[in-house]
Amino acid sequence: MENKKEMLLYNAGGCLMLGEIMQRKAEQQKLEELEIPMFNPINADHNDKKKNKNDGGLAERIVANDTEHILNATHVMIEPLPSSLGTTVELGQIFQHNLIMDMLDEAYQTSENVSDFGVKVREIMQKYPKKKVYPHYHDIRRVEGITETEDRRSLGINQYVYGVCLALSDGKGFYEYDEIYADLADEKLKGE
């Protein structure tokens, strides 16, 4: 695409349990050290359950605000744990967004002439670019070399969710933090 959008990271993951909140804040601190511009949903007023105790329309506001930030992001760091239903929905949103961007890009690249419609579609694609996604899954049971069968499994990752993570990460699957932070730092330098 012709115009490169300024880098903006969406940091997705569980943000309801104390441990999840602490993890999102630790991630935010590291990203701030790297001076990576970001949106962290745990900091958003619409996600503050104490401020929204008796407020009607909360679900609609959460969807509208988080979706807007996902659309405006250029990069996504996401931990799709089975207990984080909202994060899993976000993963699906991002997957579908990138799939549609790929289809629109292919249609644009293979068109014989550029119509007004084509120009407008391209503008939308530039405004809401395909996201670079970093799925991660930090569970101490993810270890190499252990063979587990039948009901004697210590960890099971939903294969549809994992398939989406594979598709979004060009076959990588899950990243480790050091890989994510190093790649984001490189991406930031490229954009400067």
Side-chain angles (χ1 to χ4, degrees):
M1 292 187 202
E2 295 81 23
N3 298 334
K4 187 157 175 132
K5 188 172 180 178
E6 187 176 320
M7 183 179 190
L8 178 62
L9 175 81
Y10 185 89
N11 187 21
C15 58
L16 300 177
M17 304 298 289
L18 179 60
E20 295 169 333
I21 293 167
M22 292 170 70
Q23 182 176 348
R24 299 290 88 79
K25 287 185 178 183
E27 292 163 354
Q28 178 177 331
Q29 183 178 5
K30 180 65 176 179
L31 293 163
E32 287 173 348
E33 287 171 15
L34 296 170
E35 298 180 349
I36 305 287
M38 65 173 287
F39 173 76
N40 195 344
I42 64 165
N43 299 326
D45 283 344
H46 62 271
N47 282 327
D48 186 336
K49 305 310 180 245
K50 289 180 182 175
K51 289 183 182 176
N52 293 290
K53 287 184 225 178
N54 302 313
D55 198 23
L58 178 60
E60 294 89 338
R61 280 199 325 281
I62 290 172
V63 169
N65 284 297
D66 288 357
T67 298
E68 178 184 347
H69 286 93
I70 288 169
L71 283 171
N72 287 309
T74 56
H75 296 69
V76 177
M77 187 168 118
I78 187 165
E79 185 178 38
L81 297 177
S83 58
S84 301
L85 295 176
T87 304
T88 303
V89 171
E90 290 174 328
L91 182 73
Q93 257 188 320
I94 295 160
F95 175 72
Q96 191 64 35
H97 172 84
N98 282 1
L99 184 65
I100 290 169
M101 290 298 108
D102 283 343
M103 290 187 287
L104 290 172
D105 191 48
E106 181 181 347
Y108 183 82
Q109 297 298 331
T110 58
S111 295
E112 293 194 22
N113 57 39
V114 179
S115 66
D116 184 48
F117 174 76
V119 169
K120 288 179 179 166
V121 166
R122 196 63 172 174
E123 287 171 359
I124 291 169
M125 292 174 66
Q126 289 174 336
K127 184 175 180 181
Y128 303 112
K130 188 173 170 181
K131 283 84 178 79
K132 183 159 185 181
V133 181
Y134 304 94
H136 59 99
Y137 200 105
H138 297 280
D139 187 309
I140 62 169
R141 298 168 293 181
R142 282 187 63 231
V143 250
E144 290 186 37
I146 295 178
T147 304
E148 298 178 334
T149 60
E150 299 171 12
D151 293 326
R152 296 193 178 271
R153 296 178 194 274
S154 58
L155 172 69
I157 297 170
N158 179 287
Q159 291 301 288
Y160 190 92
V161 171
Y162 187 58
V164 169
C165 290
L166 285 166
L168 287 170
S169 64
D170 296 323
K172 169 81 173 156
F174 295 125
Y175 287 80
E176 298 301 326
Y177 278 128
D178 59 338
E179 295 173 300
I180 296 170
Y181 298 137
D183 197 72
L184 284 169
D186 287 346
E187 291 279 320
K188 182 176 181 278
L189 283 174
K190 287 179 198 172
E192 293 178 345

